[in-house]
Amino acid sequence: MITTQKAKTLVYDNFAVNCVNVKRLDAYIGRNFWLESTSGQEYVLRMKPEASITNTEQLGYYAGQHLHCNGFQVTYPLCAGDGKMNCSTCVENQDGNFDKWLLTLAPFIPGKTITESKLTLDDFYIVSKEIGCFAGLVHESLSSYSGTITRTNTCTLDTCTHPEECVWYTRNVGFLLKKFVHVVKESEILRHVNYFLEMFEQNVHPLFSKLRWGVLHGDFSDTNIVLVESDSESQSEKDCLKDFSFLKKKYALIDFEDCHYAPLIFDLCVLLAYMMIRAEATNADPFRVSGLILLGYHKIFPLSENEKKVLFWGVMARLVTSYVMSRCNLLSDPENEAYLCLQSSYCPRLIKLLLDNGEENVMKAWFASIDKA
């Protein structure tokens, strides 16, 4: 158990920041803390087990900096005492042994994530369309960055193209998720998972080379999109399809730790999956929410025909992965059950909903708004 006092000490020892207030934040893997310094500056300390770090971490740092330079509100790491963007440290655990952790400190972005925001049903639908546009703007910016990584940074695309062992990357789902399916004990869900794996291999893998590739955020979800506190106009007074200039001020994007190089459509699939989960949790219509996201996204960053072909199974990929891996991570981190199951508990129902309706009907529902626009 890493206490708030320990977090405070780690920040001072490694980043020379003296903090007076500390509180623990939710984290899927590792530990997060909010801290306030003696000067009133707010920070987020992210701690990840060193064994869980992939070779794409550095790409996330550079991608975040690129977006920051292009007017987006994002989290970007501060340099530690040795000049690096993160540092490694050992912390004694409950058994008296020492665990290795990677520490990253970033400025805290005030506001609430979409998950935390208490939105009316009407405002939630407006936000859905807006973050679709916002995601399109992010991808538009990152697509222009993809070709310059190998020339400007030590982290090259060659080292980030093959994140071989990360099951969360949609491109890996077909062959990596099979290793974890044994944790699913419910027979109906297991049948759905196995059917999905078969369909993903048949319908998505053959199209990989025909999709647009670029730098992905990797976890473009409602927990990583911040509705920034501001005095801007109410959501109903602006139409993001006609004027999207305000979106960079209204929304922020955090947590670039899963950033990697892959087909861009998979980031949109992640967003659709998690926003459908959020719809289920708030009694909104998941098909309407996902349709509005697609309407906003397509306006900024139009989908190709091949991207449309993988959309359904890409969304299914994140729903299935979220459920299976939450069951797996629960075995090793039972004290984090509430957060691990925050989203995944809705996955079985949505998986069944999508499969029962079928790809053709779901796609018609999703693109109805675009066809009318």
Side-chain angles (χ1 to χ4, degrees):
M1 183 73 174
I2 299 173
T3 65
T4 54
Q5 181 58 43
K6 182 61 178 178
K8 182 177 173 182
T9 302
L10 289 171
V11 168
Y12 182 77
D13 291 345
N14 292 280
F15 299 94
V17 176
N18 190 14
C19 295
V20 289
N21 294 313
V22 186
K23 68 178 179 181
R24 186 169 172 173
L25 302 175
D26 290 328
Y28 195 88
I29 297 176
R31 300 293 180 261
N32 293 339
F33 295 89
W34 168 89
L35 307 100
E36 182 182 16
S37 70
T38 51
S39 63
Q41 176 68 48
E42 296 175 88
Y43 300 93
V44 173
L45 172 67
R46 304 183 66 85
M47 301 181 60
K48 290 187 71 174
E50 200 168 75
S52 71
I53 303 301
T54 70
N55 66 349
T56 63
E57 292 274 337
Q58 195 177 9
L59 179 61
Y61 302 147
Y62 289 124
Q65 288 179 338
H66 170 80
L67 290 173
H68 176 67
C69 291
N70 283 275
F72 291 89
Q73 298 184 78
V74 297
T75 48
Y76 55 93
L78 303 175
C79 290
D82 58 2
K84 295 182 180 179
M85 295 179 189
N86 52 46
C87 57
S88 180
T89 189
C90 292
V91 178
E92 187 175 5
N93 59 31
Q94 293 176 330
D95 300 324
N97 299 316
F98 286 85
D99 297 325
K100 289 185 176 181
W101 295 84
L102 191 74
L103 311 181
T104 304
L105 190 69
F108 176 77
I109 296 179
K112 293 183 178 179
T113 64
I114 302 299
T115 313
E116 299 167 328
S117 301
K118 297 184 187 220
L119 301 168
T120 66
L121 196 57
D122 287 341
D123 282 344
F124 183 58
Y125 288 132
I126 291 170
V127 164
S128 297
K129 184 168 63 172
E130 289 181 349
I131 64 173
C133 288
F134 179 70
L137 290 171
V138 169
H139 282 169
E140 184 179 55
S141 179
L142 287 178
S143 66
S144 68
Y145 178 59
S146 302
T148 63
I149 294 175
T150 54
R151 294 196 299 271
T152 59
N153 298 317
T154 56
C155 178
T156 69
L157 290 184
D158 291 338
T159 64
C160 299
T161 303
H162 302 287
E164 294 87 355
E165 292 303 322
C166 187
V167 69
W168 287 99
Y169 300 161
T170 304
R171 53 174 295 182
N172 293 341
V173 164
F175 61 91
L176 284 185
L177 195 63
K178 294 176 183 177
K179 298 179 182 179
F180 303 96
V181 169
H182 66 276
V183 301
V184 179
K185 304 303 181 185
E186 305 87 340
S187 58
E188 183 180 25
I189 301 176
L190 182 59
R191 186 170 67 253
H192 289 158
V193 170
N194 286 327
Y195 175 71
F196 155 74
L197 289 171
E198 181 183 345
M199 291 297 101
F200 190 86
E201 186 171 349
Q202 289 181 16
N203 295 288
V204 180
H205 279 173
L207 292 175
F208 269 15
S209 63
K210 299 178 181 179
L211 301 173
R212 288 180 294 182
W213 286 60
V215 175
L216 277 65
H217 175 272
D219 193 13
F220 214 121
S221 72
D222 55 310
T223 60
N224 289 326
I225 302 171
V226 177
L227 185 57
V228 180
E229 296 174 344
S230 67
D231 296 324
S232 59
E233 297 178 49
S234 68
Q235 291 148 3
S236 61
E237 292 177 357
K238 287 188 176 181
D239 184 353
C240 61
L241 297 182
K242 296 178 181 177
D243 174 19
F244 46 80
S245 60
F246 68 97
L247 294 176
K248 290 183 181 180
K249 295 180 180 179
K250 184 172 181 179
Y251 296 99
L253 189 60
I254 61 175
D255 189 1
F256 285 76
E257 294 179 359
D258 290 323
C259 195
H260 63 288
Y261 187 73
L264 290 167
I265 186 63
F266 291 154
D267 237 7
L268 176 61
C269 292
V270 168
L271 176 60
L272 290 170
Y274 284 126
M275 285 298 286
M276 290 182 76
I277 290 174
R278 178 79 345 225
E280 283 286 295
T282 55
N283 297 315
D285 179 352
F287 289 122
R288 183 179 176 187
V289 166
S290 46
L292 288 168
I293 292 170
L294 284 167
L295 175 62
Y297 186 90
H298 191 72
K299 175 72 175 179
I300 307 295
F301 202 68
L303 296 172
S304 69
E305 289 305 311
N306 283 321
E307 287 171 333
K308 292 177 182 178
K309 290 178 183 178
V310 304
L311 192 65
F312 177 84
W313 296 110
V315 173
M316 280 284 294
R318 181 45 62 118
L319 293 173
V320 169
T321 303
S322 179
Y323 182 77
V324 172
M325 295 312 296
S326 71
R327 294 279 139 331
C328 184
N329 289 325
L330 194 57
L331 296 176
S332 59
D333 193 8
E335 70 177 61
N336 202 23
E337 180 177 5
Y339 191 69
L340 289 174
C341 297
L342 177 67
Q343 295 169 318
S344 65
S345 60
Y346 296 96
C347 291
R349 170 175 159 74
L350 283 171
I351 291 168
K352 186 175 188 305
L353 180 67
L354 291 178
L355 291 178
D356 286 351
N357 279 275
E359 181 180 4
E360 183 178 353
N361 290 329
V362 170
M363 291 294 288
K364 284 181 180 177
W366 279 348
F367 283 91
S369 297
I370 294 176
D371 294 337
K372 291 177 184 177

